[in-house]
Amino acid sequence: MLTLAIDTSTKTGSVALLGKDSVLAECLINVGINHSETILPAVEKILSITGAKVVEIDLFAFTVGPGSFTGLRIGAGTVKGFALATGKPVAGVSAMDALALNVANSTITICPMLNAGKKEIYTALYRPSRSGMPEKIRGERVVNPEEFLNGLDEEVIFLGDGVRKYAGLIGEILPDKSFFASHHLQYIKASAVGFIGVKKFSEGDTLDLITFTPQYLRLSEAEEKFRVIG
């Protein structure tokens, strides 16, 4: 089984091709270029390196959100195009779930944190699980970081681009209970998206190719302005 996985939910982008139980190739892009210019070339490169063809892909997986509005739309559009052309299924994966998988071996609470702009973060909480997939114990939300952190009272390992922005605040509010993942674990990996996507596919959890949309958690600026005017 071949799975092509894509992440475009943050400023970094990632593409991976997975075999039955291994990563065949993976690419992480962190050069500040719009995903519309990098993701398709990265897919082509991954396929070229592995010798695989799009028609041979059995499953497409991508991050449905939360994250960048533009990035999520690019990822969704790219995957939808591949899936409609090949007739293969699509699994939508939470960006929070994929990020949490980077530290699945943690023994303490896991907190992925993405910068949501407007002095807010996207976040959720997980606890380690024997299955190897962290178990979500607090759902995804967009929230003020100070408000969120003041509600924590346990040891937590933080990771994600929101951590880089709010590391000082985290250390101030949770001085003895905050830990930070290594630098190379701070980015969403398409391989993690792929592994979670395969699990969802095995459970019959796939997306409708016609109706699926990204999960933004909040309105876009255009929608907010329209609501105010309306």
Side-chain angles (χ1 to χ4, degrees):
M1 177 174 178
L2 290 177
T3 300
L4 182 67
I6 293 174
D7 169 59
T8 55
S9 59
T10 68
K11 291 182 179 180
T12 63
S14 185
V15 176
L17 183 66
L18 282 66
K20 182 179 179 180
D21 54 7
S22 63
V23 180
L24 302 179
E26 184 167 21
C27 174
L28 176 70
I29 307 160
N30 186 22
V31 292
I33 300 176
N34 190 286
H35 294 311
S36 63
E37 301 178 51
T38 60
I39 290 301
L40 282 177
V43 170
E44 293 174 358
K45 189 66 175 178
I46 290 288
L47 295 177
S48 175
I49 290 172
T50 59
K53 297 179 174 61
V54 171
V55 294
E56 297 174 330
I57 303 300
D58 300 295
L59 174 69
F60 296 94
F62 78 110
T63 42
V64 295
S68 158
F69 285 78
T70 300
L72 293 175
R73 285 195 293 269
I74 292 170
T78 301
V79 167
K80 183 173 289 190
F82 283 140
L84 289 174
T86 61
K88 299 300 175 62
V90 173
V93 175
S94 160
M96 297 286 101
D97 290 356
L99 193 51
L101 191 57
N102 286 359
V103 289
N105 292 329
S106 170
T107 58
I108 59 177
T109 299
I110 301 167
C111 181
M113 182 183 289
L114 297 178
N115 180 19
K118 300 182 179 181
K119 299 181 179 180
E120 293 181 322
I121 55 171
Y122 297 119
T123 191
L125 290 179
Y126 299 76
R127 62 186 170 202
S129 169
R130 290 183 178 179
S131 70
M133 293 282 184
E135 179 185 353
K136 188 176 293 178
I137 56 176
R138 189 179 301 184
E140 298 167 7
R141 64 194 63 197
V142 56
V143 66
N144 174 276
E146 184 172 359
E147 174 186 332
F148 174 75
L149 292 167
N150 277 317
L152 300 179
D153 191 33
E154 68 261 40
E155 291 188 335
V156 181
I157 183 168
F158 295 89
L159 71 164
D161 62 20
V163 174
R164 294 195 296 274
K165 183 175 180 61
Y166 294 106
L169 181 65
I170 293 170
E172 178 183 332
I173 295 177
L174 297 168
D176 302 316
K177 297 181 178 180
S178 56
F179 301 87
F180 300 93
S182 299
H183 181 74
H184 70 285
L185 298 175
Q186 297 289 346
Y187 308 101
I188 296 173
K189 299 179 180 180
S191 55
V193 176
F195 284 125
I196 297 172
V198 169
K199 181 176 185 295
K200 293 171 78 73
F201 172 72
S202 69
E203 296 170 348
D205 186 2
T206 57
L207 300 176
D208 184 298
L209 296 185
I210 305 301
T211 62
F212 80 75
T213 58
Q215 299 172 1
Y216 299 120
L217 289 191
R218 71 180 181 197
L219 298 176
S220 67
E221 290 186 13
E223 289 171 322
E224 289 179 350
K225 290 179 181 178
F226 180 80
R227 184 176 63 176
V228 171
I229 294 174

